Amino acid sequence: MSAQIQQIFTFENAEQQTKLIGVNDNFLRLIEEGLSVQLHARGDQMSISGDESQVQLARAVLSELTNLIKHQINLSPTDVVSAVTMAQRGTLEYFGDLYSETLIRDNKGRAVRVKNFGQRQYIQAIRKNDITFGIGPAGTGKTYLAVVMAISSLKRGEVERIIITRPAVEAGESLGFLPGDLKEKVDPYLRPIYDAMNAIIGAEQTQRLMDRGVIEIAPLAYMRGRTLDDAFIILDEAQNTTNQQMKMFLTRLGFGSKMIVNGDVSQIDLPRGAKSGLISAQKILADVNRIAFVRFSSADVVRHPVVGLIVNAYEAAEERLALLKKEH
């Protein structure tokens, strides 16, 4: 165990101090929780107390966040969590690089950028490959970034339309009891996709593009028998496809098109005995050219830090359960 130490971090001006501390000191709380240190701001100085190695990491995080402020970037809790996570993983030196490129500007004019190293790998894979699989837990930004890349491609004229789909399988719920036709039944389950679209281009623009058929959001059953040329195609919740559905979807790829397949293999809602097409695809397509697999972990979660802790806790519980089953 390292020695307990205290270091002083000096703010260059009042504006930097306000932006670095956050509303009601919320940015400091995130750093304290993530790195097990104590931060106390007084005047133009802040003390950092704790285990020597953690204090050094906290100081490095504060320096990186200060550099963002100097480049006129408004900090969000996500930025702070990303810096802390990268410090823990030993990749903080790449933190500044994440802000070197704006993927798109959202409906409110804010720059959309990757938030961590995993997301950066995901974006690079999408650009280089015809089909990209994003596999990992909720909160890693897979769906949102897929929609960002789809809209970017549409705006640049690289594709003529965006098609987003997901299988009509949900945890413990029967679609038969819901009112309306198949699309109306499945629309509530496509809400995260609508939310992403609305955040990036606005609800009115989303609706206009849907009315014109430029954006199509539909259940997976609607994909059968089609060849999708000049399209950006996203399959969400792919862990709930069967092998046959996955093969059917992947073979829809046409000329001038890109595909993204996203899923979380820890949240499979298929009937007992049915095998996930996403799990099989990882083995079957592992060595196929122009297909990439990007795997996210709980460390890539960009929601509230507690979400990452929840994911870790569930993974640990599942591992313990698996060990108990082996013993018996």
Side-chain angles (χ1 to χ4, degrees):
M1 182 176 169
S2 302
Q4 298 290 301
I5 65 164
Q6 183 180 87
Q7 287 192 2
I8 300 297
F9 181 89
T10 304
F11 302 108
E12 294 177 17
N13 51 59
E15 182 191 16
Q16 184 191 96
Q17 178 178 1
T18 302
K19 290 182 176 178
L20 198 56
I21 287 174
V23 179
N24 298 324
D25 296 354
N26 66 324
F27 293 165
L28 299 191
R29 300 291 84 79
L30 291 172
I31 296 170
E32 285 182 329
E33 288 173 18
L35 296 174
S36 300
V37 294
Q38 288 80 49
L39 303 176
H40 296 288
R42 195 174 219 172
D44 66 346
Q45 293 187 327
M46 179 160 56
S47 65
I48 314 167
S49 308
D51 190 85
E52 185 175 0
S53 59
Q54 298 301 98
V55 167
Q56 303 292 3
L57 288 181
R59 189 180 185 87
V61 164
L62 290 167
S63 296
E64 290 291 342
L65 294 173
T66 299
N67 286 335
L68 294 191
I69 293 168
K70 287 178 179 177
H71 285 91
Q72 307 302 312
I73 293 171
N74 290 321
L75 296 184
S76 71
T78 305
D79 300 313
V80 179
V81 171
S82 294
V84 168
T85 302
M86 291 180 78
Q88 291 168 327
R89 298 174 87 181
T91 56
L92 189 62
E93 61 187 289
Y94 303 111
F95 179 71
D97 295 345
L98 302 180
Y99 296 83
S100 61
E101 181 189 8
T102 297
L103 300 176
I104 201 171
R105 290 201 172 269
D106 70 11
N107 187 41
K108 294 181 179 176
R110 296 172 299 199
V112 176
R113 304 180 180 92
V114 295
K115 294 293 184 185
N116 53 46
F117 202 59
Q119 289 192 355
R120 191 183 185 197
Q121 288 178 300
Y122 182 59
I123 294 298
Q124 289 173 344
I126 292 168
R127 286 175 173 155
K128 291 176 186 172
N129 296 278
D130 294 333
I131 301 175
T132 301
F133 285 79
I135 302 168
T140 48
K142 303 183 298 294
T143 299
Y144 184 76
L145 286 178
V147 172
V148 164
M149 294 301 282
I151 292 171
S152 296
S153 290
L154 184 69
K155 285 187 170 183
R156 288 195 299 267
E158 294 169 357
V159 297
E160 294 176 0
R161 57 193 171 138
I162 297 170
I163 298 167
I164 306 177
T165 185
R166 67 190 287 185
V169 177
E170 289 300 324
E173 294 162 27
S174 172
L175 292 172
F177 289 102
L178 296 173
D181 60 21
L182 181 58
K183 187 176 185 305
E184 288 170 331
K185 288 175 190 284
V186 178
D187 263 2
Y189 300 124
L190 295 165
R191 192 73 254 164
I193 294 163
Y194 288 115
D195 289 346
M197 285 282 181
N198 294 344
I200 299 162
I201 57 173
E204 288 182 18
Q205 176 77 339
T206 299
Q207 192 57 53
R208 276 199 298 272
L209 292 174
M210 288 177 68
D211 291 342
R212 286 166 43 202
V214 176
I215 294 176
E216 180 183 347
I217 304 177
L220 185 59
Y222 281 38
M223 299 298 112
R224 195 171 297 279
R226 302 170 65 183
T227 300
L228 306 172
D229 292 326
D230 301 312
F232 202 109
I233 312 144
I234 301 168
L235 171 60
D236 207 30
E237 301 291 339
Q239 74 274 8
N240 289 330
T241 59
T242 62
N243 284 332
Q244 291 84 358
Q245 286 174 323
M246 179 64 78
K247 182 183 175 185
M248 177 276 288
F249 173 77
L250 294 174
T251 52
R252 301 307 94 201
L253 183 70
F255 290 105
S257 291
K258 264 190 192 293
M259 265 185 183
I260 299 179
V261 180
N262 288 332
D264 176 3
V265 293
S266 73
Q267 294 191 18
I268 296 170
D269 299 317
L270 289 167
R272 189 178 294 276
K275 289 187 177 177
S276 168
L278 182 59
I279 291 175
S280 300
Q282 293 181 73
K283 299 168 187 170
I284 296 167
L285 304 173
D287 300 318
V288 178
N289 285 337
R290 294 160 76 177
I291 296 179
F293 289 87
V294 178
R295 292 171 178 86
F296 295 90
S297 71
S298 57
D300 296 308
V301 170
V302 289
R303 292 180 183 170
H304 192 286
V306 172
V307 175
L309 298 176
I310 290 168
V311 172
N312 281 337
Y314 271 95
E315 285 176 354
E318 284 164 12
E319 284 172 15
R320 287 196 300 272
L321 189 61
L323 282 171
L324 283 171
K325 284 181 179 176
K326 278 184 183 177
E327 287 171 7
H328 297 287

